[in-house]
Amino acid sequence: MAKLTLDDLRKLRDEKQKAIEKRDPSNKDAQIIVGMGTCGIAAGAKETFNAIIDELDAKGISHVLVRQTGCMGLCHSEPTVEVIVPNMPVVIYGNVNAEVGKQIVNDHIVNKHLIDNHICDKPAMDIVR
Amino acid sequence: MHASVCDIIADLVQNAIEADATRIEVDVATDPAEIRVCIQDNGKGMDARTLAKAKDPFYSEPGKHAKRRVGLGIPLLMQTTAAVNGTVDIQSTPGKGTRVAFTLDARHLDTPPFGDLPETLLGLMTFGGAYDLILTRTTPNDRYRVSRGELIEALGNLEEIDNLILARDYVRSQEENLNS
């Protein structure tokens, strides 16, 4: 890859912007939040995060906000990912490797199906305020 | 120990973000003999007593986890530097911020692999809130500098997936040219 400058980046962004506008540019109504405490990092949260970004890009999904956060208290099930979609329960998934990250995009975000065997039943009680 | 040097960096930067830093400077220098990293933030800092406790794996900042007493970030760093002929220096002042500097012997057999810096940086740029994160990356041949602020200025935001991908491509192009 040739070394990009900030001007290149602005140009690329303008090109992308046209494509974004062709899609529905409605507000972001869904969120995917990846836990990135010491526990998440050790378990591979970065790979999960990048896989989710790549899958959202591949599917042309633009209504999802992807964020990172600290430890959610479920260190035994890292990487953990919280998913918030309107009219669906807020879910924290555990043991989310890159593959399960893609599954979250396809099953939970696109098809509105929960991924049963990765659901953590609730946030750790000592984390909830 | 963490699986890669980038994982150590991610952990320390995440600490800075949780310490309410609005400016985090990350300097990463590598040469065939040594890896040198310095992370400086303007967060809430620690007094000497808290800093001493942060080195204890069975300590976590009160209020972070009400019933939990484990905090492994700094202890993992100390374990790694001790294992591979490295050094670690932590300076912190309450109200002013914290500076963590460490070195690792690049030729030591147990030094973790470097990891994927563009991927790491992308993650670290997507925590909520307004903070600037400035990376200065240096090798004997070249250097580059990238900041969250300038990426947001160039791209508009780091919320659109397309923008995140572009930001990662941008950092990747800097890193690849450094290595070529």
Side-chain angles (χ1 to χ4, degrees):
Chain A
M1 190 189 301
K3 188 169 177 174
L4 298 171
T5 64
L6 285 171
D7 274 338
D8 294 334
L9 200 58
R10 284 188 195 96
K11 276 181 212 148
L12 285 168
R13 201 244 165 190
D14 289 343
E15 286 165 21
K16 284 270 184 184
Q17 196 60 35
K18 285 170 199 150
I20 293 169
E21 279 160 10
K22 275 185 204 158
R23 294 182 209 150
D24 178 12
S26 58
N27 286 335
K28 301 200 179 299
D29 60 359
Q31 286 188 63
I32 298 179
I33 304 163
V34 181
M36 265 268 285
T38 302
C39 44
I41 293 166
K46 283 196 277 92
E47 288 77 9
T48 301
F49 178 85
N50 278 269
I52 290 170
I53 299 282
D54 286 334
E55 191 66 8
L56 288 168
D57 181 54
K59 297 289 153 71
I61 298 166
S62 57
H63 67 97
V64 180
L65 185 63
V66 188
R67 280 260 186 258
Q68 303 251 23
T69 190
C71 170
M72 293 193 240
L74 297 161
C75 309
H76 49 78
S77 301
E78 294 291 341
T80 50
V81 174
E82 183 173 8
V83 185
I84 305 169
V85 173
N87 303 318
M88 287 182 77
V90 175
V91 178
I92 295 182
Y93 289 113
N95 301 310
V96 183
N97 59 19
E99 211 44 51
V100 179
K102 288 182 190 171
Q103 216 180 328
I104 288 175
V105 173
N106 291 307
D107 290 358
H108 192 127
I109 300 287
V110 177
N111 294 328
K112 307 279 189 283
H113 288 155
L114 302 184
I115 303 158
D116 291 344
N117 52 349
H118 284 275
I119 295 173
C120 294
D121 59 350
K122 55 185 159 192
M125 291 313 290
D126 62 344
I127 296 294
V128 177
R129 301 222 170 124
Chain B
M1 64 173 74
H2 272 308
S4 71
V5 177
C6 283
D7 281 0
I8 302 174
I9 295 169
D11 203 335
L12 295 171
V13 172
Q14 198 257 331
N15 281 349
I17 291 167
E18 285 203 338
D20 302 326
T22 54
R23 184 182 169 88
I24 304 154
E25 291 179 55
V26 182
D27 296 333
V28 182
T30 54
D31 62 43
E34 198 173 53
I35 297 163
R36 294 179 300 282
V37 177
C38 180
I39 294 158
Q40 184 149 18
D41 73 59
N42 66 350
K44 62 186 173 188
M46 295 172 277
D47 58 26
R49 192 182 153 88
T50 308
L51 177 55
K53 283 184 183 172
K55 295 175 183 173
D56 175 357
F58 297 102
Y59 173 79
S60 185
E61 185 191 355
K64 204 165 171 180
H65 313 306
K67 294 176 186 167
R68 197 163 296 196
R69 289 285 177 270
V70 178
L72 295 179
I74 297 287
L76 283 176
L77 169 64
M78 295 176 67
Q79 178 205 31
T80 307
T81 54
V84 305
N85 300 334
T87 62
V88 57
D89 178 55
I90 308 174
Q91 306 288 335
S92 194
T93 311
K96 295 213 165 149
T98 300
R99 178 184 180 276
V100 182
F102 69 90
T103 65
L104 304 172
D105 178 350
R107 294 195 174 108
H108 196 290
L109 205 59
D110 290 329
T111 296
F114 185 70
D116 187 331
L117 192 58
E119 203 170 83
T120 303
L121 200 64
L122 184 75
L124 292 173
M125 297 219 173
T126 57
F127 284 88
Y131 60 95
D132 202 5
L133 175 61
I134 302 128
L135 168 75
T136 306
R137 174 82 172 92
T138 313
T139 64
N141 303 327
D142 206 355
R143 73 201 289 270
Y144 69 82
R145 181 185 177 280
V146 58
S147 81
R148 185 177 190 252
E150 70 186 16
L151 286 175
I152 291 175
E153 185 270 320
L155 293 166
N157 64 57
L158 287 176
E159 293 180 352
E160 296 295 336
I161 299 300
D162 304 74
N163 290 347
L164 288 174
I165 300 266
L166 284 175
R168 191 177 59 192
D169 287 347
Y170 177 74
V171 183
R172 230 170 231 164
S173 80
Q174 309 293 319
E175 187 69 23
E176 280 173 11
N177 279 273
L178 204 58
N179 294 332
S180 59

